[in-house]
Amino acid sequence: MRRNVPPGTQGELGISFISAGDGWGIFQVADFDTSIWHTSDGAVSWTRVSSLGVDPTPSTAIEGVRFWDARRGYVLWTSFAASTPGSTSTKATPHLLATVNGGASWRETALPLPSGMQWPLEISNVDLPHFFNAADAAIDYVTPQGVLVWTTTNGGMSWKGPKRLPFGTTVAFAAVDLSHWWVANDLGVTRTIDGGRGWSKIVSPSGLPQFGYLDFVDTDHGFAEPAGGRGGLYITTDGGRTWREAGSAAS
């Protein structure tokens, strides 16, 4: 089946399908607007639903869109500001938009910050929220003040936190629900089973590369890649306690 883009648009900035036919896309209209469009026939034709009100400029970026069903979805976009002279990080403010009516209207929800901190912050990663179901999600940002994690239990309509992870050199974060999270850094892999209240080191760095990417599909099965693209894919089947390189025999 041929897939088209809406007529008069200049590019696709994000797309999300909930079935073979039913999907939503973010498309830039001319040089001044980004809009949500809906298709019910697998992108053969599109209908404009609403404007996101985000002007496409060098200081803004649409990070992605995700719908769970015909009503509920979210969009993440980022606005960038000038960084401190000499800094390698980017000063940015994340903007999380949520809809409960199929994209007809959007509500922006802020990520709260502790007293003494304010957006924009210097961050070294821009990640989409980790949604575990239509209601529960977590989002993390690496900042000079540490790794901050926010959570939601209502589909992104409001966010709690942040929790500051006790690892200043964290390079990878993964989660499968609001309780089970993993962190990788030069000290190994550390896990929490209570949403960050307590942590336990489950893997020391001895014999393993430092992981720069983590992803878990459930509390037992996960994948990791070494930092800097050095080496191949690693697999765990016991919650991160042991790892083997893909293609090698399980011990």
Side-chain angles (χ1 to χ4, degrees), residues 26-45:
I26 304 176
F27 295 92
Q28 182 176 336
V29 182
D31 295 322
F32 55 85
D33 184 37
T34 50
S35 297
I36 289 286
W37 297 67
H38 176 254
T39 179
S40 58
D41 54 17
V44 175
S45 62

Side-chain angles (χ1 to χ4, degrees), residues 80-136:
F80 300 97
S83 298
T84 303
S87 172
T88 58
S89 300
T90 300
K91 271 195 170 184
T93 302
H95 303 267
L96 289 154
L97 310 178
T99 182
V100 293
N101 55 14
S105 61
W106 297 85
R107 173 183 172 184
E108 180 170 344
T109 58
L111 296 177
L113 287 173
S115 176
M117 296 176 65
Q118 63 181 10
W119 299 108
L121 289 177
E122 289 193 8
I123 60 177
S124 56
N125 70 312
V126 178
D127 289 336
L128 293 175
H130 306 268
F131 267 85
F132 316 120
N133 51 53
D136 300 335

Side-chain angles (χ1 to χ4, degrees), residues 151-186:
T151 58
T152 180
T153 56
N154 57 12
M157 300 302 290
S158 62
W159 294 82
K160 299 176 182 178
K163 292 184 177 179
R164 194 184 311 234
L165 303 192
F167 313 101
T169 58
T170 296
V171 295
F173 173 84
V176 296
D177 54 36
L178 294 179
S179 298
H180 295 82
W181 305 346
W182 292 260
V183 163
N185 58 17
D186 56 351

Side-chain angles (χ1 to χ4, degrees), residues 9-247:
T9 60
Q10 296 183 349
E12 178 255 310
L13 302 174
I15 200 162
S16 176
F17 278 81
I18 60 173
S19 67
D22 210 18
W24 288 259
I26 304 176
F27 295 92
Q28 182 176 336
V29 182
D31 295 322
F32 55 85
D33 184 37
T34 50
S35 297
I36 289 286
W37 297 67
H38 176 254
T39 179
S40 58
D41 54 17
V44 175
S45 62
W46 294 86
T47 301
R48 186 177 182 274
V49 180
S50 65
S51 170
L52 287 178
V54 181
D55 292 332
T57 70
S59 61
T60 62
I62 301 291
E63 309 296 350
V65 57
R66 175 73 182 271
F67 272 79
W68 286 99
D69 54 34
R71 297 181 298 108
R72 295 172 295 179
Y74 76 89
V75 167
L76 173 65
W77 70 279
T78 306
S79 57
F80 300 97
S83 298
T84 303
S87 172
T88 58
S89 300
T90 300
K91 271 195 170 184
T93 302
H95 303 267
L96 289 154
L97 310 178
T99 182
V100 293
N101 55 14
S105 61
W106 297 85
R107 173 183 172 184
E108 180 170 344
T109 58
L111 296 177
L113 287 173
S115 176
M117 296 176 65
Q118 63 181 10
W119 299 108
L121 289 177
E122 289 193 8
I123 60 177
S124 56
N125 70 312
V126 178
D127 289 336
L128 293 175
H130 306 268
F131 267 85
F132 316 120
N133 51 53
D136 300 335
I139 187 170
D140 65 288
Y141 283 96
V142 181
T143 76
Q145 294 78 22
V147 180
L148 307 179
V149 179
W150 293 261
T151 58
T152 180
T153 56
N154 57 12
M157 300 302 290
S158 62
W159 294 82
K160 299 176 182 178
K163 292 184 177 179
R164 194 184 311 234
L165 303 192
F167 313 101
T169 58
T170 296
V171 295
F173 173 84
V176 296
D177 54 36
L178 294 179
S179 298
H180 295 82
W181 305 346
W182 292 260
V183 163
N185 58 17
D186 56 351
L187 301 178
V189 178
T190 308
R191 180 181 66 176
T192 178
I193 60 173
D194 56 15
R197 289 189 290 272
W199 293 85
S200 59
K201 184 183 294 184
I202 55 176
V203 176
S204 68
S206 176
L208 285 174
Q210 179 177 336
F211 293 144
Y213 170 80
L214 283 176
D215 186 27
F216 277 78
V217 297
D218 56 37
T219 56
D220 291 322
H221 299 84
F223 305 88
E225 293 179 352
R230 301 184 298 271
L233 181 70
Y234 285 75
I235 299 171
T236 181
T237 58
D238 58 8
R241 294 180 181 86
T242 60
W243 296 84
R244 62 179 177 86
E245 196 165 3

